[in-house]
Structure formats: C-alpha cells, structure tokens
Amino acid sequence: MISYNKLWKLLIDRGMNKSDLRKLVGMSSGSLAKLGKNEPVSMDIILIICQKLNCDIADIMEVTESTEKTMQ
C-alpha cells in the first residue's frame, strides 16, 4: 500500500492545501482524489509534484508494511 501522508504534512508545513497543490502541479481533481485515497497515480504526477515542491519522492510518499509483506 502507498501512503501520501508525508505529502500532506509537507503541504501543511509550507502553508499549502490540496487545492494549492492541484493548481501548482496542474493535475486533475481525479488525480488529487487518488492521492487523497492513497491510490497509485502516474509517475509523471509524482515527478511534477517533486519538481514543484523541490523535494524527493521519499519526501512525499512511502510504501507501507502491508505491501512489503505481500511482495515477499
């Protein structure tokens, strides 16, 4: 399972909300909804978020234990 909790914390730390992120990145509301539900989004979206927020992928998302166990 993917978690975007780090992204939401980063936005709070920068005084931003989800709408600000959507506008900054130019993503659809559907992609934003997927992020909110911890569902996979395209790597293009992830890379644009990282570029616009000047951060690394590990700063905005992580793989949770449940997925790591199913991959073993």
Side-chain angles (χ1 to χ4, degrees):
M1 178 173 237
I2 298 168
S3 172
Y4 299 104
N5 289 339
K6 290 181 173 186
L7 172 60
W8 310 132
K9 182 178 181 333
L10 183 64
L11 291 180
I12 290 168
D13 291 346
R14 295 187 182 193
M16 297 175 68
N17 60 37
K18 291 180 180 182
S19 294
D20 296 331
L21 176 68
R22 189 177 69 78
K23 291 174 190 171
L24 178 69
V25 173
M27 74 173 108
S28 69
S29 55
S31 292
L32 184 61
K34 285 183 177 185
L35 289 169
K37 296 176 191 174
N38 289 324
E39 294 177 357
V41 295
S42 76
M43 186 57 82
D44 290 339
I45 296 288
I46 298 298
L47 293 175
I48 293 169
I49 291 171
C50 290
Q51 180 185 28
K52 296 291 185 178
L53 295 178
N54 194 29
C55 64
D56 190 65
I57 292 173
D59 296 329
I60 64 168
M61 63 185 289
E62 64 184 342
V63 177
T64 61
E65 238 180 86
S66 59
T67 300
E68 292 171 0
K69 288 180 181 177
T70 59
M71 293 178 144
Q72 294 178 354

Short mmCIF file of all heavy atoms in Angstrom, two decimals:
data_model
loop_
_atom_site.label_atom_id
_atom_site.label_comp_id
_atom_site.label_asym_id
_atom_site.label_seq_id
_atom_site.Cartn_x
_atom_site.Cartn_y
_atom_site.Cartn_z
N MET A 1 0.83 -1.18 0.00
CA MET A 1 0.00 0.00 0.00
C MET A 1 0.88 1.25 0.00
O MET A 1 1.92 1.29 0.63
CB MET A 1 -0.91 -0.03 1.22
CG MET A 1 -1.78 1.18 1.34
SD MET A 1 -2.95 1.00 2.67
CE MET A 1 -4.42 1.24 1.75
N ILE A 2 0.44 2.25 -0.71
CA ILE A 2 1.15 3.52 -0.78
C ILE A 2 0.53 4.49 0.20
O ILE A 2 -0.69 4.52 0.37
CB ILE A 2 1.04 4.11 -2.21
CG1 ILE A 2 1.69 3.18 -3.22
CG2 ILE A 2 1.65 5.50 -2.28
CD1 ILE A 2 1.39 3.52 -4.65
N SER A 3 1.34 5.29 0.83
CA SER A 3 0.85 6.34 1.73
C SER A 3 1.44 7.68 1.27
O SER A 3 2.65 7.79 1.06
CB SER A 3 1.27 6.05 3.17
OG SER A 3 0.96 7.16 3.99
N TYR A 4 0.56 8.66 1.15
CA TYR A 4 0.98 10.01 0.81
C TYR A 4 0.92 10.94 2.02
O TYR A 4 0.90 12.16 1.87
CB TYR A 4 0.12 10.57 -0.33
CG TYR A 4 0.21 9.78 -1.60
CD1 TYR A 4 -0.82 8.93 -1.99
CD2 TYR A 4 1.33 9.86 -2.41
CE1 TYR A 4 -0.75 8.19 -3.16
CE2 TYR A 4 1.42 9.13 -3.58
CZ TYR A 4 0.38 8.29 -3.95
OH TYR A 4 0.46 7.56 -5.11
N ASN A 5 0.92 10.39 3.22
CA ASN A 5 0.86 11.20 4.44
C ASN A 5 2.00 12.21 4.51
O ASN A 5 1.82 13.33 5.00
CB ASN A 5 0.84 10.32 5.69
CG ASN A 5 -0.47 9.58 5.84
OD1 ASN A 5 -1.48 9.98 5.29
ND2 ASN A 5 -0.45 8.49 6.59
N LYS A 6 3.16 11.82 4.01
CA LYS A 6 4.30 12.75 4.01
C LYS A 6 4.00 13.98 3.14
O LYS A 6 4.42 15.09 3.47
CB LYS A 6 5.57 12.06 3.52
CG LYS A 6 6.13 11.03 4.47
CD LYS A 6 7.40 10.43 3.89
CE LYS A 6 8.11 9.53 4.85
NZ LYS A 6 9.40 9.08 4.30
N LEU A 7 3.29 13.78 2.04
CA LEU A 7 2.93 14.89 1.17
C LEU A 7 2.02 15.86 1.90
O LEU A 7 2.23 17.07 1.86
CB LEU A 7 2.23 14.37 -0.10
CG LEU A 7 1.64 15.42 -1.02
CD1 LEU A 7 2.70 16.39 -1.53
CD2 LEU A 7 0.90 14.76 -2.18
N TRP A 8 1.01 15.33 2.61
CA TRP A 8 0.06 16.21 3.31
C TRP A 8 0.77 16.99 4.42
O TRP A 8 0.48 18.16 4.63
CB TRP A 8 -1.12 15.41 3.84
CG TRP A 8 -1.74 14.51 2.81
CD1 TRP A 8 -2.06 13.21 2.96
CD2 TRP A 8 -2.09 14.84 1.46
NE1 TRP A 8 -2.58 12.71 1.79
CE2 TRP A 8 -2.61 13.68 0.86
CE3 TRP A 8 -2.02 16.00 0.69
CZ2 TRP A 8 -3.06 13.66 -0.46
CZ3 TRP A 8 -2.46 15.98 -0.63
CH2 TRP A 8 -2.97 14.82 -1.19
N LYS A 9 1.71 16.33 5.11
CA LYS A 9 2.46 17.03 6.14
C LYS A 9 3.34 18.13 5.53
O LYS A 9 3.41 19.24 6.06
CB LYS A 9 3.32 16.05 6.94
CG LYS A 9 4.09 16.74 8.07
CD LYS A 9 4.90 15.79 8.88
CE LYS A 9 5.66 16.43 10.00
NZ LYS A 9 6.04 17.80 9.89
N LEU A 10 3.96 17.82 4.40
CA LEU A 10 4.79 18.81 3.71
C LEU A 10 3.97 20.03 3.30
O LEU A 10 4.41 21.17 3.44
CB LEU A 10 5.46 18.17 2.49
CG LEU A 10 6.43 19.03 1.69
CD1 LEU A 10 7.64 19.41 2.53
CD2 LEU A 10 6.87 18.29 0.44
N LEU A 11 2.76 19.78 2.79
CA LEU A 11 1.89 20.89 2.41
C LEU A 11 1.55 21.75 3.62
O LEU A 11 1.58 22.99 3.54
CB LEU A 11 0.60 20.37 1.76
CG LEU A 11 0.73 19.73 0.38
CD1 LEU A 11 -0.63 19.28 -0.11
CD2 LEU A 11 1.39 20.65 -0.61
N ILE A 12 1.22 21.13 4.74
CA ILE A 12 0.90 21.86 5.97
C ILE A 12 2.09 22.70 6.39
O ILE A 12 1.95 23.88 6.73
CB ILE A 12 0.46 20.89 7.09
CG1 ILE A 12 -0.90 20.30 6.77
CG2 ILE A 12 0.43 21.62 8.45
CD1 ILE A 12 -1.30 19.13 7.64
N ASP A 13 3.28 22.09 6.37
CA ASP A 13 4.50 22.80 6.76
C ASP A 13 4.75 24.02 5.89
O ASP A 13 5.35 25.00 6.33
CB ASP A 13 5.72 21.87 6.71
CG ASP A 13 5.69 20.79 7.78
OD1 ASP A 13 4.88 20.90 8.73
OD2 ASP A 13 6.48 19.83 7.66
N ARG A 14 4.30 23.96 4.63
CA ARG A 14 4.52 25.07 3.69
C ARG A 14 3.31 25.99 3.58
O ARG A 14 3.28 26.89 2.73
CB ARG A 14 4.88 24.52 2.31
CG ARG A 14 6.21 23.78 2.35
CD ARG A 14 6.68 23.37 1.01
NE ARG A 14 7.93 22.62 1.12
CZ ARG A 14 8.69 22.34 0.11
NH1 ARG A 14 8.36 22.73 -1.10
NH2 ARG A 14 9.80 21.65 0.28
N GLY A 15 2.31 25.75 4.43
CA GLY A 15 1.13 26.62 4.42
C GLY A 15 0.27 26.46 3.19
O GLY A 15 -0.40 27.40 2.76
N MET A 16 0.26 25.26 2.62
CA MET A 16 -0.50 25.00 1.41
C MET A 16 -1.63 24.02 1.70
O MET A 16 -1.57 23.28 2.69
CB MET A 16 0.40 24.39 0.32
CG MET A 16 1.52 25.29 -0.14
SD MET A 16 2.63 24.44 -1.31
CE MET A 16 1.54 24.24 -2.72
N ASN A 17 -2.64 24.00 0.84
CA ASN A 17 -3.69 22.99 0.94
C ASN A 17 -3.74 22.19 -0.35
O ASN A 17 -2.98 22.44 -1.28
CB ASN A 17 -5.04 23.63 1.28
CG ASN A 17 -5.51 24.62 0.24
OD1 ASN A 17 -5.31 24.43 -0.96
ND2 ASN A 17 -6.14 25.70 0.67
N LYS A 18 -4.66 21.25 -0.42
CA LYS A 18 -4.73 20.36 -1.59
C LYS A 18 -5.07 21.13 -2.87
O LYS A 18 -4.56 20.81 -3.94
CB LYS A 18 -5.75 19.25 -1.34
CG LYS A 18 -5.30 18.25 -0.30
CD LYS A 18 -6.35 17.17 -0.08
CE LYS A 18 -5.88 16.18 0.96
NZ LYS A 18 -6.86 15.09 1.16
N SER A 19 -5.91 22.13 -2.75
CA SER A 19 -6.25 22.93 -3.93
C SER A 19 -5.03 23.68 -4.45
O SER A 19 -4.84 23.80 -5.68
CB SER A 19 -7.36 23.93 -3.60
OG SER A 19 -8.55 23.24 -3.30
N ASP A 20 -4.22 24.20 -3.53
CA ASP A 20 -2.99 24.87 -3.94
C ASP A 20 -2.08 23.91 -4.70
O ASP A 20 -1.50 24.27 -5.72
CB ASP A 20 -2.22 25.41 -2.72
CG ASP A 20 -2.98 26.49 -1.97
OD1 ASP A 20 -3.78 27.21 -2.59
OD2 ASP A 20 -2.76 26.60 -0.74
N LEU A 21 -1.98 22.69 -4.19
CA LEU A 21 -1.15 21.68 -4.85
C LEU A 21 -1.67 21.37 -6.25
O LEU A 21 -0.90 21.32 -7.21
CB LEU A 21 -1.10 20.39 -4.01
CG LEU A 21 -0.35 19.23 -4.64
CD1 LEU A 21 1.15 19.53 -4.73
CD2 LEU A 21 -0.59 17.94 -3.86
N ARG A 22 -2.97 21.18 -6.36
CA ARG A 22 -3.57 20.86 -7.66
C ARG A 22 -3.28 21.94 -8.68
O ARG A 22 -2.90 21.67 -9.82
CB ARG A 22 -5.09 20.66 -7.51
CG ARG A 22 -5.74 20.13 -8.77
CD ARG A 22 -7.22 19.89 -8.58
NE ARG A 22 -7.96 21.11 -8.43
CZ ARG A 22 -8.30 21.93 -9.44
NH1 ARG A 22 -7.93 21.66 -10.67
NH2 ARG A 22 -8.99 23.01 -9.22
N LYS A 23 -3.42 23.19 -8.27
CA LYS A 23 -3.15 24.32 -9.18
C LYS A 23 -1.67 24.42 -9.52
O LYS A 23 -1.30 24.65 -10.67
CB LYS A 23 -3.63 25.62 -8.54
CG LYS A 23 -5.13 25.71 -8.45
CD LYS A 23 -5.55 26.95 -7.68
CE LYS A 23 -7.03 26.92 -7.38
NZ LYS A 23 -7.42 28.00 -6.47
N LEU A 24 -0.80 24.26 -8.52
CA LEU A 24 0.64 24.34 -8.73
C LEU A 24 1.13 23.30 -9.72
O LEU A 24 1.93 23.58 -10.61
CB LEU A 24 1.37 24.18 -7.39
CG LEU A 24 2.90 24.20 -7.42
CD1 LEU A 24 3.40 25.60 -7.76
CD2 LEU A 24 3.46 23.75 -6.07
N VAL A 25 0.63 22.08 -9.57
CA VAL A 25 1.08 20.96 -10.38
C VAL A 25 0.33 20.89 -11.71
O VAL A 25 0.84 20.38 -12.70
CB VAL A 25 0.93 19.64 -9.59
CG1 VAL A 25 1.21 18.41 -10.43
CG2 VAL A 25 1.84 19.66 -8.37
N GLY A 26 -0.90 21.41 -11.74
CA GLY A 26 -1.71 21.33 -12.94
C GLY A 26 -2.33 19.96 -13.12
O GLY A 26 -2.54 19.51 -14.24
N MET A 27 -2.62 19.30 -12.01
CA MET A 27 -3.20 17.97 -12.09
C MET A 27 -4.73 18.03 -12.03
O MET A 27 -5.29 19.02 -11.59
CB MET A 27 -2.65 17.06 -10.99
CG MET A 27 -3.19 17.33 -9.60
SD MET A 27 -2.64 16.10 -8.41
CE MET A 27 -1.48 17.06 -7.49
N SER A 28 -5.34 16.96 -12.46
CA SER A 28 -6.80 16.89 -12.44
C SER A 28 -7.30 16.64 -11.02
O SER A 28 -6.55 16.18 -10.15
CB SER A 28 -7.28 15.75 -13.34
OG SER A 28 -6.93 14.50 -12.78
N SER A 29 -8.57 16.93 -10.81
CA SER A 29 -9.16 16.67 -9.50
C SER A 29 -9.21 15.16 -9.24
O SER A 29 -9.16 14.71 -8.10
CB SER A 29 -10.55 17.29 -9.39
OG SER A 29 -11.38 16.85 -10.43
N GLY A 30 -9.27 14.37 -10.31
CA GLY A 30 -9.26 12.91 -10.17
C GLY A 30 -7.94 12.40 -9.61
O GLY A 30 -7.92 11.52 -8.75
N SER A 31 -6.84 12.97 -10.09
CA SER A 31 -5.52 12.58 -9.58
C SER A 31 -5.38 12.99 -8.12
O SER A 31 -4.84 12.24 -7.30
CB SER A 31 -4.40 13.21 -10.40
OG SER A 31 -4.37 12.67 -11.69
N LEU A 32 -5.88 14.17 -7.79
CA LEU A 32 -5.83 14.63 -6.40
C LEU A 32 -6.67 13.71 -5.51
O LEU A 32 -6.24 13.37 -4.40
CB LEU A 32 -6.33 16.07 -6.30
CG LEU A 32 -6.24 16.70 -4.92
CD1 LEU A 32 -4.80 16.76 -4.43
CD2 LEU A 32 -6.85 18.09 -4.94
N ALA A 33 -7.81 13.27 -6.01
CA ALA A 33 -8.66 12.35 -5.24
C ALA A 33 -7.93 11.02 -5.01
O ALA A 33 -8.01 10.45 -3.91
CB ALA A 33 -9.98 12.11 -5.98
N LYS A 34 -7.22 10.53 -6.02
CA LYS A 34 -6.45 9.29 -5.86
C LYS A 34 -5.38 9.45 -4.79
O LYS A 34 -5.17 8.55 -3.97
CB LYS A 34 -5.79 8.88 -7.18
CG LYS A 34 -6.75 8.29 -8.17
CD LYS A 34 -6.00 7.86 -9.42
CE LYS A 34 -6.93 7.18 -10.40
NZ LYS A 34 -6.20 6.65 -11.55
N LEU A 35 -4.70 10.60 -4.79
CA LEU A 35 -3.70 10.86 -3.75
C LEU A 35 -4.35 10.84 -2.37
O LEU A 35 -3.80 10.28 -1.42
CB LEU A 35 -3.01 12.20 -3.99
CG LEU A 35 -2.06 12.30 -5.18
CD1 LEU A 35 -1.67 13.75 -5.43
CD2 LEU A 35 -0.83 11.45 -4.96
N GLY A 36 -5.53 11.45 -2.28
CA GLY A 36 -6.24 11.50 -1.00
C GLY A 36 -6.67 10.14 -0.50
O GLY A 36 -6.83 9.94 0.71
N LYS A 37 -6.83 9.19 -1.43
CA LYS A 37 -7.24 7.82 -1.06
C LYS A 37 -6.06 6.86 -1.01
O LYS A 37 -6.25 5.65 -0.90
CB LYS A 37 -8.26 7.29 -2.07
CG LYS A 37 -9.55 8.07 -2.10
CD LYS A 37 -10.44 7.52 -3.21
CE LYS A 37 -11.62 8.41 -3.47
NZ LYS A 37 -12.40 7.95 -4.63
N ASN A 38 -4.84 7.40 -1.09
CA ASN A 38 -3.62 6.58 -1.11
C ASN A 38 -3.63 5.56 -2.23
O ASN A 38 -3.18 4.43 -2.07
CB ASN A 38 -3.39 5.90 0.25
CG ASN A 38 -2.98 6.89 1.30
OD1 ASN A 38 -2.26 7.84 1.05
ND2 ASN A 38 -3.45 6.69 2.52
N GLU A 39 -4.15 5.98 -3.39
CA GLU A 39 -4.16 5.12 -4.57
C GLU A 39 -3.01 5.52 -5.49
O GLU A 39 -2.54 6.66 -5.46
CB GLU A 39 -5.49 5.27 -5.32
CG GLU A 39 -6.67 4.75 -4.53
CD GLU A 39 -7.99 4.98 -5.25
OE1 GLU A 39 -8.00 5.59 -6.35
OE2 GLU A 39 -9.02 4.54 -4.73
N PRO A 40 -2.55 4.60 -6.32
CA PRO A 40 -1.44 4.92 -7.24
C PRO A 40 -1.83 6.00 -8.25
O PRO A 40 -2.96 6.04 -8.73
CB PRO A 40 -1.17 3.60 -7.97
CG PRO A 40 -1.83 2.54 -7.16
CD PRO A 40 -2.95 3.20 -6.42
N VAL A 41 -0.90 6.89 -8.53
CA VAL A 41 -1.04 7.88 -9.59
C VAL A 41 0.16 7.72 -10.51
O VAL A 41 1.12 7.03 -10.17
CB VAL A 41 -1.13 9.33 -9.05
CG1 VAL A 41 -2.38 9.53 -8.23
CG2 VAL A 41 0.10 9.69 -8.25
N SER A 42 0.12 8.35 -11.66
CA SER A 42 1.21 8.18 -12.61
C SER A 42 2.52 8.75 -12.05
O SER A 42 2.52 9.70 -11.26
CB SER A 42 0.88 8.86 -13.94
OG SER A 42 1.02 10.26 -13.83
N MET A 43 3.59 8.18 -12.50
CA MET A 43 4.91 8.66 -12.09
C MET A 43 5.13 10.09 -12.57
O MET A 43 5.82 10.87 -11.89
CB MET A 43 6.00 7.73 -12.63
CG MET A 43 7.37 8.08 -12.13
SD MET A 43 7.51 8.09 -10.32
CE MET A 43 7.73 6.37 -10.00
N ASP A 44 4.51 10.46 -13.68
CA ASP A 44 4.61 11.84 -14.17
C ASP A 44 4.09 12.82 -13.12
O ASP A 44 4.71 13.85 -12.86
CB ASP A 44 3.82 12.03 -15.46
CG ASP A 44 4.45 11.31 -16.65
OD1 ASP A 44 5.67 11.02 -16.59
OD2 ASP A 44 3.74 11.05 -17.62
N ILE A 45 2.96 12.50 -12.51
CA ILE A 45 2.39 13.36 -11.46
C ILE A 45 3.34 13.45 -10.27
O ILE A 45 3.60 14.53 -9.76
CB ILE A 45 1.01 12.83 -11.01
CG1 ILE A 45 0.00 12.88 -12.14
CG2 ILE A 45 0.51 13.59 -9.77
CD1 ILE A 45 -0.48 14.26 -12.53
N ILE A 46 3.86 12.30 -9.85
CA ILE A 46 4.78 12.28 -8.70
C ILE A 46 6.01 13.14 -8.99
O ILE A 46 6.43 13.94 -8.15
CB ILE A 46 5.21 10.83 -8.38
CG1 ILE A 46 4.01 9.97 -7.97
CG2 ILE A 46 6.29 10.80 -7.29
CD1 ILE A 46 3.29 10.42 -6.74
N LEU A 47 6.56 13.01 -10.18
CA LEU A 47 7.76 13.78 -10.53
C LEU A 47 7.49 15.28 -10.62
O LEU A 47 8.32 16.09 -10.19
CB LEU A 47 8.35 13.27 -11.84
CG LEU A 47 8.92 11.84 -11.78
CD1 LEU A 47 9.37 11.38 -13.15
CD2 LEU A 47 10.04 11.74 -10.78
N ILE A 48 6.32 15.65 -11.13
CA ILE A 48 5.98 17.08 -11.20
C ILE A 48 5.79 17.64 -9.79
O ILE A 48 6.25 18.75 -9.49
CB ILE A 48 4.72 17.31 -12.06
CG1 ILE A 48 5.02 16.96 -13.52
CG2 ILE A 48 4.24 18.74 -11.94
CD1 ILE A 48 3.78 16.91 -14.40
N ILE A 49 5.14 16.88 -8.92
CA ILE A 49 4.98 17.32 -7.53
C ILE A 49 6.35 17.56 -6.91
O ILE A 49 6.59 18.60 -6.28
CB ILE A 49 4.17 16.29 -6.71
CG1 ILE A 49 2.71 16.26 -7.16
CG2 ILE A 49 4.26 16.61 -5.21
CD1 ILE A 49 1.89 15.12 -6.56
N CYS A 50 7.25 16.61 -7.09
CA CYS A 50 8.60 16.74 -6.53
C CYS A 50 9.32 17.96 -7.10
O CYS A 50 9.98 18.70 -6.36
CB CYS A 50 9.42 15.48 -6.77
SG CYS A 50 8.87 14.06 -5.82
N GLN A 51 9.19 18.17 -8.39
CA GLN A 51 9.84 19.31 -9.02
C GLN A 51 9.28 20.63 -8.48
O GLN A 51 10.04 21.53 -8.12
CB GLN A 51 9.65 19.24 -10.54
CG GLN A 51 10.29 20.39 -11.28
CD GLN A 51 9.99 20.35 -12.77
OE1 GLN A 51 8.97 19.83 -13.21
NE2 GLN A 51 10.89 20.91 -13.55
N LYS A 52 7.97 20.74 -8.43
CA LYS A 52 7.33 21.98 -7.99
C LYS A 52 7.56 22.26 -6.51
O LYS A 52 7.66 23.41 -6.10
CB LYS A 52 5.82 21.95 -8.28
CG LYS A 52 5.49 21.88 -9.75
CD LYS A 52 5.83 23.16 -10.47
CE LYS A 52 5.37 23.12 -11.92
NZ LYS A 52 5.64 24.35 -12.63
N LEU A 53 7.63 21.20 -5.69
CA LEU A 53 7.85 21.38 -4.26
C LEU A 53 9.32 21.31 -3.88
O LEU A 53 9.67 21.41 -2.71
CB LEU A 53 7.05 20.34 -3.45
CG LEU A 53 5.53 20.44 -3.56
CD1 LEU A 53 4.87 19.32 -2.76
CD2 LEU A 53 5.03 21.80 -3.09
N ASN A 54 10.17 21.07 -4.90
CA ASN A 54 11.62 20.98 -4.68
C ASN A 54 11.95 19.95 -3.58
O ASN A 54 12.56 20.27 -2.57
CB ASN A 54 12.21 22.35 -4.33
CG ASN A 54 13.71 22.34 -4.42
OD1 ASN A 54 14.30 21.58 -5.19
ND2 ASN A 54 14.36 23.18 -3.63
N CYS A 55 11.49 18.73 -3.82
CA CYS A 55 11.70 17.68 -2.84
C CYS A 55 11.97 16.36 -3.56
O CYS A 55 11.92 16.28 -4.79
CB CYS A 55 10.50 17.55 -1.91
SG CYS A 55 8.98 17.04 -2.73
N ASP A 56 12.22 15.31 -2.80
CA ASP A 56 12.49 13.98 -3.34
C ASP A 56 11.22 13.13 -3.21
O ASP A 56 10.34 13.44 -2.39
CB ASP A 56 13.64 13.36 -2.54
CG ASP A 56 14.13 12.08 -3.19
OD1 ASP A 56 14.66 12.13 -4.30
OD2 ASP A 56 13.97 11.02 -2.55
N ILE A 57 11.15 12.07 -3.97
CA ILE A 57 10.00 11.17 -3.90
C ILE A 57 9.77 10.67 -2.48
O ILE A 57 8.64 10.62 -2.01
CB ILE A 57 10.17 9.98 -4.88
CG1 ILE A 57 10.08 10.48 -6.32
CG2 ILE A 57 9.11 8.91 -4.63
CD1 ILE A 57 10.39 9.43 -7.36
N ALA A 58 10.83 10.34 -1.78
CA ALA A 58 10.71 9.84 -0.40
C ALA A 58 10.16 10.89 0.55
O ALA A 58 9.69 10.55 1.64
CB ALA A 58 12.05 9.33 0.09
N ASP A 59 10.18 12.15 0.14
CA ASP A 59 9.64 13.23 0.98
C ASP A 59 8.12 13.32 0.89
O ASP A 59 7.50 13.98 1.72
CB ASP A 59 10.23 14.58 0.57
CG ASP A 59 11.72 14.67 0.80
OD1 ASP A 59 12.23 14.01 1.73
OD2 ASP A 59 12.39 15.39 0.03
N ILE A 60 7.52 12.68 -0.11
CA ILE A 60 6.07 12.81 -0.29
C ILE A 60 5.30 11.50 -0.23
O ILE A 60 4.08 11.51 -0.12
CB ILE A 60 5.73 13.52 -1.62
CG1 ILE A 60 6.18 12.72 -2.82
CG2 ILE A 60 6.31 14.92 -1.63
CD1 ILE A 60 5.62 13.21 -4.14
N MET A 61 5.99 10.38 -0.32
CA MET A 61 5.28 9.10 -0.30
C MET A 61 6.15 8.00 0.29
O MET A 61 7.36 8.14 0.39
CB MET A 61 4.83 8.69 -1.70
CG MET A 61 5.96 8.45 -2.68
SD MET A 61 5.41 8.11 -4.36
CE MET A 61 4.72 6.49 -4.21
N GLU A 62 5.47 6.92 0.71
CA GLU A 62 6.19 5.76 1.22
C GLU A 62 5.35 4.51 0.99
O GLU A 62 4.14 4.59 0.81
CB GLU A 62 6.51 5.92 2.70
CG GLU A 62 5.31 5.99 3.61
CD GLU A 62 5.67 6.26 5.06
OE1 GLU A 62 6.84 6.07 5.43
OE2 GLU A 62 4.77 6.66 5.80
N VAL A 63 6.03 3.39 0.97
CA VAL A 63 5.36 2.09 0.86
C VAL A 63 5.15 1.60 2.27
O VAL A 63 6.09 1.58 3.07
CB VAL A 63 6.22 1.10 0.06
CG1 VAL A 63 5.56 -0.26 0.01
CG2 VAL A 63 6.47 1.62 -1.34
N THR A 64 3.91 1.23 2.59
CA THR A 64 3.60 0.76 3.93
C THR A 64 3.85 -0.73 4.05
O THR A 64 4.02 -1.42 3.05
CB THR A 64 2.16 1.10 4.32
OG1 THR A 64 1.28 0.45 3.39
CG2 THR A 64 1.92 2.59 4.30
N GLU A 65 3.84 -1.20 5.26
CA GLU A 65 4.19 -2.60 5.56
C GLU A 65 3.34 -3.61 4.82
O GLU A 65 3.83 -4.62 4.38
CB GLU A 65 4.04 -2.84 7.06
CG GLU A 65 5.31 -3.32 7.71
CD GLU A 65 5.11 -3.54 9.17
OE1 GLU A 65 4.67 -4.64 9.54
OE2 GLU A 65 5.39 -2.63 9.95
N SER A 66 2.06 -3.35 4.68
CA SER A 66 1.17 -4.35 4.09
C SER A 66 1.60 -4.74 2.67
O SER A 66 1.53 -5.89 2.29
CB SER A 66 -0.27 -3.87 4.08
OG SER A 66 -0.39 -2.68 3.35
N THR A 67 2.11 -3.80 1.89
CA THR A 67 2.58 -4.11 0.54
C THR A 67 3.91 -4.85 0.59
O THR A 67 4.13 -5.78 -0.16
CB THR A 67 2.76 -2.81 -0.28
OG1 THR A 67 1.50 -2.16 -0.35
CG2 THR A 67 3.22 -3.12 -1.67
N GLU A 68 4.77 -4.44 1.49
CA GLU A 68 6.07 -5.10 1.60
C GLU A 68 5.90 -6.58 1.92
O GLU A 68 6.60 -7.41 1.38
CB GLU A 68 6.91 -4.41 2.69
CG GLU A 68 7.34 -3.01 2.30
CD GLU A 68 7.98 -2.25 3.43
OE1 GLU A 68 8.11 -2.81 4.53
OE2 GLU A 68 8.35 -1.09 3.22
N LYS A 69 4.94 -6.92 2.75
CA LYS A 69 4.71 -8.32 3.11
C LYS A 69 4.17 -9.13 1.94
O LYS A 69 4.53 -10.28 1.75
CB LYS A 69 3.75 -8.41 4.31
CG LYS A 69 4.37 -7.98 5.60
CD LYS A 69 3.41 -8.09 6.74
CE LYS A 69 4.05 -7.62 8.04
NZ LYS A 69 3.12 -7.65 9.16
N THR A 70 3.30 -8.52 1.12
CA THR A 70 2.73 -9.26 0.00
C THR A 70 3.73 -9.47 -1.11
O THR A 70 3.59 -10.37 -1.91
CB THR A 70 1.48 -8.52 -0.58
OG1 THR A 70 1.87 -7.22 -1.01
CG2 THR A 70 0.38 -8.43 0.44
N MET A 71 4.79 -8.67 -1.16
CA MET A 71 5.81 -8.81 -2.20
C MET A 71 6.82 -9.89 -1.86
O MET A 71 7.56 -10.32 -2.73
CB MET A 71 6.52 -7.48 -2.43
CG MET A 71 5.66 -6.42 -3.01
SD MET A 71 6.61 -4.92 -3.18
CE MET A 71 5.93 -4.28 -4.70
N GLN A 72 6.88 -10.32 -0.63
CA GLN A 72 7.90 -11.31 -0.23
C GLN A 72 7.54 -12.69 -0.67
O GLN A 72 6.54 -13.16 -0.85
CB GLN A 72 8.10 -11.28 1.28
CG GLN A 72 8.70 -9.98 1.73
CD GLN A 72 8.86 -9.92 3.25
OE1 GLN A 72 8.43 -10.80 3.97
NE2 GLN A 72 9.49 -8.88 3.71
#
